[in-house]
């Protein structure tokens, strides 16, 4: 099957399990499409696929960067497209798996991206302050004001290019792709997420984060990614552990 399969959806909905089953059925190789799972050491908090779960299926773009290395959507676009070509060249099926929609769009659609020079992370601003700052320069932007990573990129994009990130849009798909969007009842999903968080805590999420915190590493994947930013805030003394867990 000379297609690209894409599996996306919210946390804990079952993307990993489905990807393995499809890879076995369609002679596939799996390509990560999660912005956190590219980083080494961010395993428990990102629910990264384990070696056992992989079932000997080739997996790509996992654990390719240290947390203090820069890795942008521009880099992902190049890496993912190169892998798609290589996997198809082996006569196999590329299967993109993850919940970072911007990664998926950048890889599969005709987006013209350049390497980002503006890398301000705005650590001193809350999501609401960041959103308001973006509105000051791009008053007509349509964006999820709770998506911190997207807000940061939109603001940096405007400062670097003097135009809205929404002007860089396209509906032109470059691949013959099948999109699978997983979902479930909201109540069931919340129960799954809460259960996963409990498991993460038991498996050592606090210790995983503390390794980086004790080294005073405060980079984007640690300060912006769900699960890591809340534990950092707890270690900083800003919230209690119970509040941190509730926010994950």
């Amino acid at each position: 099957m000379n297609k690209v399969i894409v599996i996306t959806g919210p946390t804990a909905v079952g993307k990993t399990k489905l990807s393995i089953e499809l890879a076995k059925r369609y002679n596939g190789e799996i390509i990560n499409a999660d912005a956190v799972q590219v980083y080494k050491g961010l395993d428990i908090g990102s629910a990264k696929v384990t070696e056992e779960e992989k079932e000997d299926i080739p997996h790509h773009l996992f654990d390719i960067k240290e947390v203090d290395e820069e890795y942008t959507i521009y880099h992902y676009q190049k890496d993912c497209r190169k892998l798609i070509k290589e996997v198809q060249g082996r006569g196999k099926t590329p299967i993109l798996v993850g919940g970072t929609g911007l990664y998926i769009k950048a890889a599969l659609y005709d987006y013209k991206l350049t390497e980002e020079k503006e890398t301000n992370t705005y650590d001193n601003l809350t999501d609401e302050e960041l959103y308001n700052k973006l509105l000051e320069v791009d008053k007509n932007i349509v964006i999820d004001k709770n998506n911190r990573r997207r807000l940061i990129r939109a603001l940096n994009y405007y400062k670097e290019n003097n135009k809205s990130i929404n002007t860089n849009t396209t509906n032109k798909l470059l691949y013959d792709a099948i999109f699978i969007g997983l979902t479930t009842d909201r109540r069931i999903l919340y129960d799954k997420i809460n259960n996963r968080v409990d498991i993460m805590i038991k498996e050592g999420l606090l210790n995983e984060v503390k390794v980086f915190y004790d080294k005073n590493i405060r980079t984007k994947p640690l300060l912006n990614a769900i699960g890591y930013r809340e534990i950092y805030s707890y270690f900083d003394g800003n919230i209690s552990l119970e509040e941190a867990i509730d926010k994950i």
Side-chain angles (χ1 to χ4, degrees), residues 8 18 22 28 30 51 58 63 74 81 90 122 127 136 143-144 151 161 177 179 186 194 196-197 218 225 232:
T8 189
L18 178 61
L22 291 181
I30 293 169
E51 290 302 317
D63 298 324
Y74 165 80
R81 289 180 178 179
R90 292 191 283 270
Y122 302 98
D127 290 0
E136 290 176 8
I143 194 169
D144 178 4
L151 290 170
N161 300 281
F179 292 86
R186 184 179 294 269
N194 289 335
R196 172 170 285 185
V197 172
R218 308 183 76 89
Y232 256 67

Side-chain angles (χ1 to χ4, degrees), residues 107-135:
L108 302 183
Y109 288 82
D110 191 25
Y111 283 94
K112 302 296 191 295
L113 300 177
T114 57
E115 190 163 8
E116 298 171 16
K117 298 180 178 64
E118 184 67 51
T119 58
N120 195 331
T121 57
Y122 302 98
D123 298 337
N124 60 317
L125 300 180
T126 65
D127 290 0
E128 183 176 358
E129 291 169 336
L130 193 56
Y131 176 66
N132 290 331
K133 187 175 182 66
L134 177 60
L135 288 181

Side-chain angles (χ1 to χ4, degrees), residues 10-14 181-194:
T11 297
V13 78
L182 299 183
T183 187
T184 187
D185 178 83
R186 184 179 294 269
R187 180 182 57 80
I188 295 174
L189 182 62
Y190 284 169
D191 286 344
K192 285 177 174 288
I193 292 174
N194 289 335

Side-chain angles (χ1 to χ4, degrees), residues 41-90:
L42 305 189
D43 303 328
I44 299 172
S46 70
K48 191 179 293 176
V49 60
T50 64
E51 290 302 317
E52 183 180 3
E53 288 172 329
K54 290 178 182 178
E55 296 190 35
D56 295 323
I57 301 296
H59 281 63
H60 306 282
L61 298 186
F62 293 87
D63 298 324
I64 61 171
K65 291 292 176 180
E66 303 290 345
V67 292
D68 56 357
E69 289 184 277
E70 187 69 21
Y71 192 75
T72 69
I73 187 173
Y74 165 80
H75 300 116
Y76 180 81
Q77 183 187 68
K78 289 179 60 180
D79 291 343
C80 187
R81 289 180 178 179
K82 180 174 181 286
L83 273 167
I84 289 173
K85 184 177 180 180
E86 291 174 355
V87 172
Q88 290 183 331
R90 292 191 283 270

Side-chain angles (χ1 to χ4, degrees), residues 226-243:
I226 294 174
Y228 295 96
R229 68 187 181 200
E230 290 81 8
I231 301 301
Y232 256 67
S233 188
Y234 160 64
F235 285 146
D236 282 338
N238 297 325
I239 58 177
S240 68
L241 179 57
E242 291 74 16
E243 289 172 320

Side-chain angles (χ1 to χ4, degrees), residues 199-236:
I199 293 173
M200 287 177 177
I201 296 299
K202 290 178 182 177
E203 289 182 344
L205 178 59
L206 292 179
N207 289 334
E208 178 173 281
V209 180
K210 198 170 190 302
V211 169
F212 299 105
Y213 185 86
D214 287 347
K215 294 178 181 178
N216 198 30
I217 299 175
R218 308 183 76 89
T219 53
K220 279 195 295 185
L222 290 165
L223 297 179
N224 294 336
I226 294 174
Y228 295 96
R229 68 187 181 200
E230 290 81 8
I231 301 301
Y232 256 67
S233 188
Y234 160 64
F235 285 146
D236 282 338

